Amino acid sequence: MTSHSSTSGVVTALDADLLRVTLDRPARMNAVRIETLDAITDALESRAGDSAVRAAVLTGAGGAFCTGADLSTTTTNDRPTAATIDAANRTVAAIRAFPRPVVGAVNGPAAGVGVSLALACDLTVATKSSYFLVALTKVGLMPDGGATALVAASIGRARAMKMALLAERLPAREALTAGLIADVYSDGEFASAVDNLRRRLTNGPGDAFRWTKDAVNDATLTELDNAFARERNGQLELLASPDFEEGVTAFRKKRPAAFRRT
């Protein structure tokens, strides 16, 4: 079964015992909108109770995994809202709650909420050319989608703070060394490596995987729900600020932002 929605920008495919969810907006480097996030959530939630599905893979089409929220048409009257934040939080929560292992197959840049989507997965692997970038401060915003909990849970407070405050790009090899992701493969061997990983998961003990996933996540992501709430409150304040308007204008015009110095 394969379904493709051009309006949402997500392709879902059920290949025997594997659910594959692909972000499919390559012209926008798989930047997401509310419809995109909702489609990912729906794909996972609709198969959560299907015992035939033994694993899931989340990946991107083209040369990117996900470059965050789509700011290409954001204006003063058309900007991310509470609904956007809520949609991202629901998607991350759906990945976390899916009762089978979810592989984050990062095939290119992961930025903004794309980092949250990747790290919410249980086994995150990446191509050597990929990188991870939490750069929302560049447009006057803060990390969201649970990133303040997901990144810190993986690499600790100091490195997470550096990534978030200084918009530090972390290449895949460094992300692996830092403990942010599970493995890195050359671009040429990535597809076969993900397929091998999928086979190990779908042929493994499903119940043991489920209990293990929940136990590890419950032990390490204790602040995820609180992070959703804190990020939502902070982001809504920031979305209404002059710094965000300046940040988006600078982003579109490809120039440095001139933020307030108050």
Side-chain angles (χ1 to χ4, degrees), residues 17-123:
D17 47 12
L18 177 73
L19 174 65
R20 184 177 294 273
V21 183
T22 304
L23 294 164
D24 189 33
R25 302 187 72 216
R28 297 296 310 148
M29 296 185 73
N30 298 324
V32 295
R33 302 171 298 181
I34 292 175
E35 302 94 315
T36 316
L37 294 163
D38 285 347
I40 300 170
T41 303
D42 291 345
L44 292 168
E45 290 183 345
S46 66
R47 292 291 174 178
D50 187 347
S51 60
V53 175
R54 299 182 62 82
V57 171
L58 177 65
T59 192
F65 176 73
C66 172
T67 53
D70 191 349
L71 298 179
S72 61
T73 60
T74 301
T75 66
T76 302
N77 297 319
D78 179 23
R79 61 176 58 190
T81 63
T84 312
I85 300 167
D86 292 342
N89 291 347
R90 284 195 303 270
T91 303
V92 169
I95 297 170
R96 160 65 185 89
F98 195 71
R100 295 291 186 253
V102 181
V103 176
V106 179
N107 56 310
V113 75
V115 174
S116 299
L117 297 177
L119 299 187
C121 297
D122 304 300
L123 288 171

Side-chain angles (χ1 to χ4, degrees), residues 43-249:
L44 292 168
E45 290 183 345
S46 66
R47 292 291 174 178
D50 187 347
S51 60
V53 175
R54 299 182 62 82
V57 171
L58 177 65
T59 192
F65 176 73
C66 172
T67 53
D70 191 349
L71 298 179
S72 61
T73 60
T74 301
T75 66
T76 302
N77 297 319
D78 179 23
R79 61 176 58 190
T81 63
T84 312
I85 300 167
D86 292 342
N89 291 347
R90 284 195 303 270
T91 303
V92 169
I95 297 170
R96 160 65 185 89
F98 195 71
R100 295 291 186 253
V102 181
V103 176
V106 179
N107 56 310
V113 75
V115 174
S116 299
L117 297 177
L119 299 187
C121 297
D122 304 300
L123 288 171
T124 304
V125 297
T127 59
K128 185 178 179 181
S129 63
S130 300
Y131 62 82
F132 297 81
L133 180 63
V134 184
L136 286 154
T137 55
K138 284 191 171 183
V139 292
L141 297 179
M142 66 179 290
D144 56 15
T148 57
L150 292 163
V151 177
S154 298
I155 61 176
R157 175 180 176 272
R159 196 64 184 270
M161 198 71 80
K162 186 178 180 183
M163 283 186 70
L165 292 180
L166 302 182
E168 177 193 69
R169 178 185 293 198
L170 202 62
R173 288 289 187 194
E174 292 183 32
L176 175 63
T177 301
L180 190 70
I181 60 176
D183 221 331
V184 173
Y185 304 99
S186 70
D187 291 33
E189 69 178 350
F190 186 66
S192 61
V194 171
D195 192 53
N196 288 336
L197 182 57
R198 182 267 303 172
R199 281 198 296 270
R200 291 180 64 182
L201 293 173
T202 56
N203 291 329
D207 288 342
F209 284 161
R210 175 174 59 84
W211 281 96
T212 301
K213 164 179 174 160
D214 286 346
V216 172
N217 283 333
D218 285 348
T220 57
L221 297 179
T222 57
E223 281 295 305
L224 185 58
D225 287 341
N226 289 331
F228 289 151
R230 287 190 291 263
E231 292 166 356
R232 188 183 194 276
N233 290 339
Q235 204 73 300
L236 290 178
E237 289 282 337
L238 294 169
L239 284 166
S241 73
D243 276 351
F244 173 60
E245 188 172 344
E246 163 60 16
V248 171
T249 300

Side-chain angles (χ1 to χ4, degrees), residues 249-256:
T249 300
F251 171 79
R252 286 208 206 105
K253 294 184 177 179
K254 296 179 170 44
R255 62 164 174 79

